[in-house]
Amino acid sequence: MRPRSGVPSAGRLGLLDATARENLDALGWTDEASIDLLWSLSRAPDADLALRALVRLQSALGEGWPEIDTLVRSNKHFRGRLLAVLGASDALGDHLIAEPSAWRLLLDDVLPSLDAVYSSMLESVGAQPEPDSSDTENLVYRASETGPGAVGKLRLAYRNLVLQLAAHDLAATVEDEPVLRLHEVGAYLADLADAALTAALSVAIATVCGEDPLTTRLAVIAMGKCGASELNYVSDVDVVFVAEPADSTSSRIAGEMMRIGSLAFFEVDAALRPEGKAGALTRTLESHIAYYKRWAKTWEFQALLKARPMTGDLELARDYIDAVNPMVWTAAERDDFVPEVQAMRRRVESLVPDSLKERNLKLGSGGLRDVEFAVQLLQMVHGRVDESLRVLPTVDALAALTAGGYVGRDDGANLSASYQFLRLLEHRLQLQRMSRTHLLPAFDDEVGMRWLARAAHIRLDGELDAQGALLAEIRRHALRVRRLHEKLFYRPLLEAVTRFNADELTLSDASAERRLSALGYGQPQRALSHIRALASAPGRRGQIQLLILPSLLEWIGRTPDPDAGLLNYRRLCDELVGAEWFLRLLRDDGVVAERLMKVLGTSAYIAELLMRSPEAIQLYSDGSDGPKLTAVDINDVASGLVASTIRRQDLKQAVAVARSHRRAELARISSADVLGMLDVPQVCAALSSVWAAVLNAALTVVISESERERGTAAPARIAVIGMGRLGGGELGYGSDADVLFVCDPIEGADEADAVKWSQVIAERVRTMLGSPSADPPLEVDTGLRPEGRNGPVVRTLAAYAAYYDQWAQPWEIQALLRAHQVAGDNDLGIEFLLMADRIRYPKGGVSNDAVKEIRRIKARVDAERLPRGADPALHTKLGRGGLADVEWTVQLMQLRHAHEYQSLHNTSTLQSLDAIADEGLLALDDVTLLKDAWLTATQARNALVLVRGKPIDELPGPGGALRPVAYAAGWPDDEAAEFLENYLRVTRRAKAVVTKVFGA
């Protein structure tokens, strides 16, 4: 209840300024007759700001002040408008003080009519209709005043009109005045912009043409918020110009109109024209049509959703709208519609720093652009067949989507309310200083939040004060809008397929398929059948699916292959039909669900692994130290794999256990890879560790079984030497395990029997691991052994030493550079490596003849080994600057210099490159190029396996097949072309280094 007796204190009035009492004394507002006036002042958005402005206005008016004082006391409508605008806007307060007579504009109880608005703007510069347009609806005038004086008069006339609108918009915060609805304010501001630019155009015509006749027809098309009649108080006004003819005169008039408008009112922006800022400012109608038919991007058609005739030659403007409008409603049928829409969404999300996303009303998460983007996308999808959706304002479009059954009634109403609330805050923020801003005050800024709450007419709410209530509302609406894709896209799909809410939603199968197609699903009919099957699952499973599917579908839709992702999800659900933990985990842990959907929509390789090792999904959550997928010690995994395998007495059981452990570990590694949690060297090291562990387990089990069969201990020690990428700890997903088997008879054993036994053991290991399976293959390759495939699979240590001392070919010496102990008897493995050191790092270095032979072999490999028809620029292994090029270059440097530099005694390509740089054997820039190429090619090769599910070495060319590979390699979905360009650039530069080294 409002107190009526006793003069309230400054504190009770909400006045925080220490000089408030002095200001009240200066105004004479400290007696009992001023009580109602003071309580009105207390309701101003910022009472101190309003009070200071009143004192300044009193000083500016001098003897004219008593008239205002009398009106403020006697006319509550005038009082509400004056105090509200002075308490909400510094800038408009300054305007009132600079133009003391402007206060009389606040006496009118109604806003100026549209005719009055145009008259005010045109009369300010003495504009008269052009002779040829006086009898038409066209808005073509010529001003009698030009130059800086015209700009000043236009600015004053426009600011007066904005002042009147703002006063009526804000008055309800102070007195019981009618509330202007958001759409009314936006539409009125758009009308003001139309009138303002009509006047600016009149000045531009007079400036360019002088007294000469106007020889061009010029139409101005409103775009963006102005085109939709939902303009902000302070906003760029987007325009497009159409001219007949589009000559230098039309271009000069258009440019002058933009210059005058930007000086007098607001920024006038023509960047939405064909070719953007690089394109001609004016074009003929025919030129516009030709551009949109041939060159326009999806975002340009999305921009045309808001296009309407604004000013100038309105007949030409209407012809333009009639010509381009049909193209808008077929844009969703374009092949590039989905990737361009996804790219636009990502660009919007990337425009705001993370630290400001919560406070940015427009571009932040759950902000205005989220709603606008979603509504426009739905219009383009369904507006092709439903003309009722072809409306311009966002609120009207959302209402039409709801009425048409494309959005549920509750969803539509809630999103409309949230959108209008956020737009209201945007209006108030911009009014404060008449500046273009979308940034909320810092949430701990009590003064700023209090002012905004009061300006937005938010009052106390239970235990919350005004700013507390505002913050709660901001967060509530942002949370609601954050789920707009569920609300607008996916929830209606579920309601359509289940028909649970037929009275609220009439989305047909055809409409649902159009929506899925626009969201990136290439086979919408199949996708809809998957959704129907998942949502219709019996009992508790179906209820959980209905709850989680909207979010899952959105996340799948962000991947390069939503169709595969949805199919993989359905298959996984069918596989885990009895596992209650699975759906509960997805329901209760959004992080797991989002990560899983990204993986399923990206990698056929991982999807197959998860079908057989679903327990790996439980590692998708976060632990106290971060993602559980990376909170694993690969050494612990390796030892656990060996321990659990060798406990099995039966060989088949042991094989199954080893495969199961390997499968789960591959699922973990590849999932962490796709999710960006592991870099390339970490992935390679983990894969190499798994392979070594599998070999160790298999060898141990086979030896144990043999000893049981023989009834005696093994006659020999056996070690497995990793070669190639296994020896270097740099395996990829598609790599075989290159190995050598070495044995050494135990004391007293016959050497022939020991070797024969070892041969059997090695073959059993290879057979055991290479047996057919649904898992990724386990091929053990012994092709790098002495004499190649013609030589024995197993030799004794002494036999290896004798062979290498007498017969070793240069390629065999080169192969030993990557030899490393990986399984079996560790002491024997080390003995082999010490023997190998004599061969690969001989005193004085390898012979010049050997180096020449390596160069010859490399030239032959380049000429002959690339598969027929393969593109050398795209082959990751054998192509230009690919893995083989880099690895051969490193190995040549080792052969030439390892006898001098101990640091080159290393089996890892990357570590050897670091050593080469440290020793100064190659320039640092050259080494960097080689490392970049090796990492880039390895990542690309791994991505190919992840996407295709099988070893592939050649990258696809530009197009749809490249997108998932680039995405799996860590590139954004819309940057596949950039991924390929980077690959080609990096490998081309590396090839130059390779050529330099091999030519030296």
Side-chain angles (χ1 to χ4, degrees):
M1 181 176 292
R2 184 183 302 170
R4 290 292 181 184
S5 62
V7 179
S9 67
R12 289 180 66 194
L13 293 172
L15 295 167
L16 306 176
D17 195 318
T19 60
R21 182 70 190 190
E22 296 176 12
N23 289 333
L24 290 172
D25 286 338
L27 296 175
W29 288 9
T30 57
D31 56 7
E32 296 232 358
S34 304
I35 290 176
D36 279 352
L37 191 153
L38 291 175
W39 283 115
S40 293
L41 175 64
S42 74
R43 292 190 293 274
D46 186 335
D48 287 305
L49 178 64
L51 182 57
R52 290 194 298 271
L54 285 167
V55 172
R56 293 170 62 207
L57 185 60
Q58 178 191 46
S59 176
L61 288 172
E63 294 180 358
W65 171 252
E67 184 180 2
I68 287 187
D69 188 69
T70 300
L71 285 168
V72 168
R73 294 173 185 273
S74 60
N75 185 337
K76 73 170 187 176
H77 305 296
F78 171 72
R79 180 171 71 216
R81 289 190 283 270
L82 178 65
L83 295 182
V85 81
L86 291 179
S89 177
D90 243 338
L92 292 178
D94 289 343
H95 176 69
L96 274 170
I97 293 158
E99 302 291 335
S101 63
W103 66 266
R104 296 185 181 279
L105 297 171
L106 305 187
L107 289 169
D108 294 334
D109 289 333
V110 294
L111 286 169
S113 66
L114 185 59
D115 287 342
V117 167
Y118 272 88
S119 295
S120 176
M121 292 305 309
L122 292 169
E123 289 172 4
S124 69
V125 289
Q128 297 296 321
E130 278 289 291
D132 291 341
S133 62
S134 58
D135 296 329
T136 70
E137 297 179 4
N138 290 339
L139 298 174
V140 183
Y141 297 82
R142 191 180 303 226
S144 61
E145 184 157 356
T146 58
V151 171
K153 290 180 178 180
L154 288 172
R155 182 186 296 117
L156 175 60
Y158 180 74
R159 187 56 62 94
N160 280 339
L161 291 166
V162 172
L163 170 68
Q164 290 173 275
L165 174 61
H168 283 80
D169 187 13
L170 292 160
T173 64
V174 173
E175 298 292 349
D176 294 329
E177 293 290 299
V179 176
L180 286 182
R181 297 183 181 277
L182 179 72
H183 73 272
E184 296 175 315
V185 175
Y188 199 86
L189 284 165
D191 288 340
L192 293 186
D194 290 358
L197 289 185
T198 298
L201 180 59
S202 75
V203 177
I205 291 172
T207 302
V208 173
C209 298
E211 300 296 327
D212 297 333
L214 180 63
T215 59
T216 184
R217 298 173 65 196
L218 182 65
V220 185
I221 310 298
M223 307 286 283
K225 282 188 167 63
C226 187
S229 295
E230 51 187 7
L231 197 60
N232 297 340
Y233 274 101
V234 184
S235 177
D236 290 354
V237 170
D238 297 304
V239 296
V240 168
F241 296 101
V242 189
E244 298 289 351
D247 54 11
S248 60
T249 299
S250 68
S251 182
R252 288 173 60 203
I253 292 173
E256 189 67 13
M257 189 202 88
M258 291 175 61
R259 186 187 70 82
I260 293 167
S262 297
L263 289 173
F265 321 124
F266 35 69
E267 190 70 27
V268 183
D269 192 345
L272 293 179
R273 66 186 184 269
E275 299 181 84
K277 293 183 179 180
L281 189 57
T282 60
R283 286 177 181 254
T284 64
L285 178 56
E286 182 180 0
S287 176
H288 276 284
I289 294 171
Y291 174 83
Y292 284 115
K293 283 184 175 179
R294 186 170 183 183
W295 303 110
K297 302 291 186 183
T298 296
W299 70 264
E300 293 176 283
F301 291 110
Q302 188 172 351
L304 287 173
L305 278 171
K306 305 295 187 184
R308 66 170 174 84
M310 184 185 205
T311 191
D313 192 313
L314 294 184
E315 293 179 20
L316 181 57
R318 283 190 286 271
D319 289 341
Y320 171 87
I321 296 298
D322 291 342
V324 301
N325 197 52
M327 302 183 204
V328 173
W329 306 112
T330 58
E333 299 170 2
R334 294 155 53 99
D335 291 339
D336 57 359
F337 179 76
V338 171
E340 286 196 15
V341 165
Q342 293 172 335
M344 281 189 290
R345 189 168 75 182
R346 274 189 294 272
R347 279 197 292 272
V348 167
E349 292 171 348
S350 68
L351 291 176
V352 185
D354 290 339
S355 60
L356 298 180
K357 281 185 177 177
E358 195 176 16
R359 292 171 50 206
N360 193 298
L361 284 170
K362 181 178 180 180
L363 302 178
S365 178
L368 293 165
R369 186 57 63 84
D370 276 351
V371 180
E372 293 164 352
F373 181 90
V375 169
Q376 290 166 25
L377 182 57
L378 285 179
Q379 282 183 278
M380 296 180 76
V381 170
H382 299 297
R384 288 178 285 172
V385 294
D386 189 345
E387 294 187 6
S388 70
L389 304 182
R390 300 180 184 185
V391 293
L392 276 60
T394 300
V395 172
D396 291 354
L398 190 50
L401 286 163
T402 304
Y406 304 101
V407 176
R409 280 206 296 258
D410 289 344
D411 293 343
N414 287 335
L415 275 164
S416 182
S418 292
Y419 180 73
Q420 293 182 71
F421 171 77
L422 296 174
R423 286 297 307 276
L424 173 64
L425 296 187
E426 182 183 43
H427 280 320
R428 297 298 177 259
L429 287 168
Q430 294 182 349
L431 272 175
Q432 188 177 29
R433 294 182 177 84
M434 290 303 290
S435 62
R436 183 173 179 263
T437 181
H438 310 285
L439 197 63
L440 291 163
F443 293 155
D444 58 357
D445 177 1
E446 293 185 9
V447 174
M449 289 294 285
R450 180 176 180 273
W451 163 82
L452 182 57
R454 293 165 65 85
H457 209 185
I458 292 175
R459 298 296 185 236
L460 306 181
D461 182 8
E463 298 180 356
L464 296 174
D465 58 12
Q467 55 264 42
L470 171 62
L471 184 56
E473 282 292 282
I474 290 170
R475 287 176 171 160
R476 181 173 71 87
H477 286 288
L479 180 62
R480 179 190 283 173
V481 174
R482 281 189 195 113
R483 301 185 66 82
L484 69 95
H485 291 291
E486 172 183 338
K487 295 290 185 182
L488 292 188
F489 292 122
Y490 300 107
R491 181 63 64 189
L493 289 171
L494 295 188
E495 294 174 358
V497 299
T498 58
R499 308 298 179 196
F500 284 169
N501 295 309
D503 59 326
E504 293 191 7
L505 198 74
T506 59
L507 197 67
S508 66
D509 280 4
S511 296
E513 288 170 15
R514 284 197 302 272
R515 183 171 298 196
L516 285 166
S517 179
L519 293 169
Y521 291 86
Q523 298 176 308
Q525 287 182 326
R526 290 188 182 180
L528 196 61
S529 70
H530 294 324
I531 294 170
R532 184 175 283 113
L534 290 164
S536 303
R540 185 65 176 158
R541 286 189 296 121
Q543 295 173 2
I544 297 178
Q545 292 284 17
L546 283 171
L547 181 67
I548 64 176
L549 263 172
S551 296
L552 302 187
L553 290 169
E554 179 187 353
W555 291 323
I556 293 173
R558 295 176 182 175
T559 66
D561 194 348
D563 295 275
L566 184 54
L567 173 61
N568 287 332
Y569 176 64
R570 182 179 175 184
R571 291 176 59 210
L572 195 56
C573 288
D574 291 344
E575 193 73 31
L576 298 176
V577 67
E580 295 183 2
W581 63 267
F582 174 61
L583 289 180
R584 285 204 308 267
L585 179 62
L586 299 189
R587 178 196 64 193
D588 298 337
D589 195 333
V591 170
V592 172
E594 183 173 4
R595 289 171 176 168
L596 178 60
M597 296 309 109
K598 179 176 181 179
V599 163
L600 293 179
T602 303
S603 174
Y605 179 89
I606 304 175
E608 291 299 326
L609 289 171
L610 293 179
M611 302 293 171
R612 295 169 56 79
S613 289
E615 65 278 0
I617 297 169
Q618 298 179 53
L619 295 176
Y620 280 38
S621 63
D622 288 333
S624 58
D625 298 325
K628 292 181 180 178
L629 284 168
T630 57
V632 174
D633 188 312
I634 57 176
N635 294 319
D636 290 343
V637 170
S639 59
L641 188 155
V642 173
S644 59
T645 302
I646 63 178
R647 282 198 294 267
R648 299 300 190 276
Q649 298 298 315
D650 181 75
L651 185 58
K652 290 185 178 179
Q653 290 182 357
V655 171
V657 170
R659 287 186 183 277
S660 175
H661 276 273
R662 174 178 179 265
R663 185 190 315 125
E665 185 62 1
L666 288 178
R668 179 191 73 82
I669 296 166
S670 55
S671 296
D673 186 3
V674 165
L675 295 171
M677 299 174 184
L678 296 176
D679 60 23
V680 172
Q682 289 172 323
V683 169
C684 294
L687 292 173
S688 301
S689 176
V690 172
W691 248 117
V694 169
L695 282 168
N696 232 329
L699 184 62
T700 303
V701 168
V702 170
I703 290 174
S704 296
E705 184 183 57
S706 174
E707 289 178 331
R708 286 195 303 273
E709 291 173 353
R710 289 166 56 91
T712 60
R717 298 180 296 159
I718 298 182
V720 182
I721 308 300
M723 304 290 282
R725 291 188 178 87
L726 175 60
E730 295 170 337
L731 282 179
Y733 295 112
S735 302
D736 293 338
D738 290 308
V739 301
L740 300 178
F741 286 95
V742 57
C743 70
D744 188 50
I746 63 173
E747 186 175 348
D750 179 75
E751 181 173 322
D753 289 341
V755 171
K756 184 177 179 181
W757 175 83
S758 300
Q759 293 273 14
V760 171
I761 296 298
E763 289 298 340
R764 281 191 181 182
V765 168
R766 294 175 64 194
T767 303
M768 168 184 169
L769 296 181
S771 59
S773 166
D775 293 333
L778 276 162
E779 295 295 333
V780 179
D781 191 340
T782 57
L784 293 179
R785 65 186 183 269
E787 301 179 79
R789 302 193 183 278
N790 296 320
V793 172
V794 183
R795 291 174 185 254
T796 64
L797 179 60
Y800 272 112
Y803 176 86
Y804 285 127
D805 283 335
Q806 188 171 0
W807 304 108
Q809 300 296 308
W811 70 265
E812 292 172 312
I813 299 173
Q814 181 184 358
L816 285 176
L817 290 172
R818 306 191 75 178
H820 192 74
Q821 159 69 358
V822 295
D825 188 285
N826 195 57
D827 291 338
L828 178 59
I830 292 174
E831 291 172 26
F832 178 93
L833 296 181
L834 291 173
M835 177 276 299
D837 284 349
R838 279 193 300 105
I839 310 301
R840 55 186 176 180
Y841 313 130
K843 292 181 179 180
V846 297
S847 68
N848 290 333
D849 288 341
V851 171
K852 289 178 182 178
E853 178 64 10
I854 293 298
R855 286 176 167 152
R856 187 192 66 79
I857 295 173
K858 175 67 169 65
R860 183 178 175 185
V861 167
D862 290 345
E864 298 178 4
R865 287 196 58 192
L866 195 69
R868 184 183 299 273
D871 186 340
L874 300 178
H875 201 280
T876 59
K877 181 179 180 182
L878 300 173
R880 180 190 68 194
L883 294 174
D885 265 352
V886 177
E887 290 166 355
W888 277 68
T889 302
V890 169
Q891 290 159 22
L892 180 61
M893 297 295 292
Q894 288 177 299
L895 289 171
R896 295 176 65 189
H897 302 289
H899 67 286
E900 299 178 84
Y901 303 102
Q902 182 70 29
S903 60
L904 292 182
H905 295 192
N906 197 312
T907 61
S908 162
T909 300
L910 288 179
Q911 293 174 18
S912 295
L913 279 169
D914 288 336
I916 289 169
D918 291 342
E919 304 296 353
L921 300 176
L922 275 181
L924 181 59
D925 287 347
D926 287 346
V927 170
T928 300
L929 292 175
L930 292 174
K931 287 184 68 174
D932 286 348
W934 191 91
L935 291 168
T936 300
T938 299
Q939 189 168 46
R941 192 175 186 224
N942 281 346
L944 282 164
V945 178
L946 290 172
V947 170
R948 303 286 183 84
K950 57 184 179 180
I952 295 175
D953 290 325
E954 186 174 353
L955 286 171
L962 182 65
R963 287 177 57 222
V965 178
Y967 189 75
W971 287 69
D973 189 32
D974 59 329
E975 293 186 13
E978 289 82 352
F979 161 76
L980 187 59
E981 288 173 8
N982 178 72
Y983 178 87
L984 294 173
R985 180 175 57 253
V986 167
T987 52
R988 183 177 64 250
R989 292 173 177 174
K991 183 63 176 181
V993 179
V994 173
T995 302
K996 179 168 63 176
V997 171
F998 271 85

